[in-house]
Amino acid sequence: RLQIVVTLSEFFNETWEAANCANCLKNNSEGLSNSTEEFLDLFNKSLTCFEHNLQGQAIDLSPNNYTEVCKNCNETYTKLNDLYNYLQRMNRQGGESEHSAHLCIDVEDAMNITRKLWSRTFNCSLPCSDTVPVIAVSSFILFLPIVFYLSSFLHSKQKKRILILPKRIQSNANLVNIQEKYS
């Protein structure tokens, strides 16, 4: 009456679909796809590199001094990150598995763990390659108003101010003198 087998089967099927597990497998589900195996291999190499470089450092290491990990594991982390970005692009275009546009949860979870270790735990960062274009565009936009106002000032027709002399009677100095006499 409880239909436990049916309920469990539906639960596992929904979990399988929600986690995009089929995206880690070959199309006929014979095993892991080549890209997933390559990713997991690089993931294991990255974790091994992290562990190896942490063991080589002193025990009383301050929490922000992981320069050896950053320096020695930069190449493996960069390869892993590049492969993950490539897999994301390929999955959006319909790569090895013909399923949804998301990577399987195992690959995404592994990359989340690695990125969290790299950035939060070890305080490492990859140099941003698009810094120069950002600075160039920002400085161009910053100087645009200056160029606009300068060109508007130089190209506008400046009217020279001419002093216009009044055309009325010189002054009422006589009236002032008359009032002073009567006071």
Side-chain angles (χ1 to χ4, degrees), residues 77 111-123:
Y77 177 77
M111 195 63 207
N112 286 341
I113 290 169
T114 309
R115 285 179 173 168
K116 187 175 180 181
L117 282 171
W118 183 258
S119 61
R120 289 189 188 159
T121 306
F122 303 134
N123 289 326

Side-chain angles (χ1 to χ4, degrees), residues 57-77:
Q57 294 181 355
I59 296 173
D60 59 345
L61 187 65
S62 69
N64 294 328
N65 191 13
Y66 293 111
T67 54
E68 290 297 316
V69 175
C70 297
K71 186 172 62 173
N72 295 337
C73 300
N74 187 24
E75 185 179 344
T76 34
Y77 177 77

Side-chain angles (χ1 to χ4, degrees), residues 5-21:
V5 174
V6 173
T7 305
L8 285 176
S9 174
E10 288 175 358
F11 170 75
F12 288 127
N13 285 337
E14 288 172 6
T15 304
W16 179 269
E17 291 296 321
N20 298 309
C21 293

Side-chain angles (χ1 to χ4, degrees), residues 16-17 19-40 84 87 91 95-100 102-110:
W16 179 269
E17 291 296 321
N20 298 309
C21 293
N23 288 345
C24 282
L25 303 175
K26 294 179 182 175
N27 282 334
N28 49 10
S29 299
E30 291 177 0
L32 291 176
S33 66
N34 294 336
S35 57
T36 304
E37 286 181 0
E38 183 182 357
F39 178 85
L40 292 176
Y84 179 77
L87 291 176
N91 251 14
E96 292 181 41
S97 64
E98 297 172 356
H99 297 282
S100 69
H102 295 284
L103 294 173
C104 72
I105 196 69
D106 294 332
V107 171
E108 288 186 359
D109 188 46

Side-chain angles (χ1 to χ4, degrees), residues 31-161:
L32 291 176
S33 66
N34 294 336
S35 57
T36 304
E37 286 181 0
E38 183 182 357
F39 178 85
L40 292 176
D41 183 48
L42 271 175
F43 173 68
N44 289 333
K45 285 180 183 176
S46 296
L47 291 183
T48 304
C49 181
F50 293 161
E51 288 177 21
H52 176 70
N53 285 290
L54 283 177
Q55 290 174 356
Q57 294 181 355
I59 296 173
D60 59 345
L61 187 65
S62 69
N64 294 328
N65 191 13
Y66 293 111
T67 54
E68 290 297 316
V69 175
C70 297
K71 186 172 62 173
N72 295 337
C73 300
N74 187 24
E75 185 179 344
T76 34
Y77 177 77
T78 304
K79 284 181 183 177
L80 181 69
N81 195 36
D82 290 344
L83 178 62
Y84 179 77
N85 291 335
Y86 172 76
L87 291 176
Q88 278 187 321
R89 280 193 307 274
M90 289 304 293
N91 251 14
R92 287 189 192 119
Q93 298 171 356
E96 292 181 41
S97 64
E98 297 172 356
H99 297 282
S100 69
H102 295 284
L103 294 173
C104 72
I105 196 69
D106 294 332
V107 171
E108 288 186 359
D109 188 46
M111 195 63 207
N112 286 341
I113 290 169
T114 309
R115 285 179 173 168
K116 187 175 180 181
L117 282 171
W118 183 258
S119 61
R120 289 189 188 159
T121 306
F122 303 134
N123 289 326
C124 301
S125 63
L126 291 176
C128 190
S129 61
D130 57 348
T131 305
V132 174
V134 169
I135 291 173
V137 169
S138 300
S139 59
F140 173 75
I141 291 174
L142 178 71
F143 285 109
L144 218 82
I146 296 169
V147 169
F148 172 75
Y149 284 114
L150 188 63
S151 65
S152 128
F153 176 75
L154 293 175
H155 294 293
S156 67
K157 295 180 181 178
Q158 293 283 325
K159 293 184 178 179
K160 295 184 180 181
R161 294 183 182 159

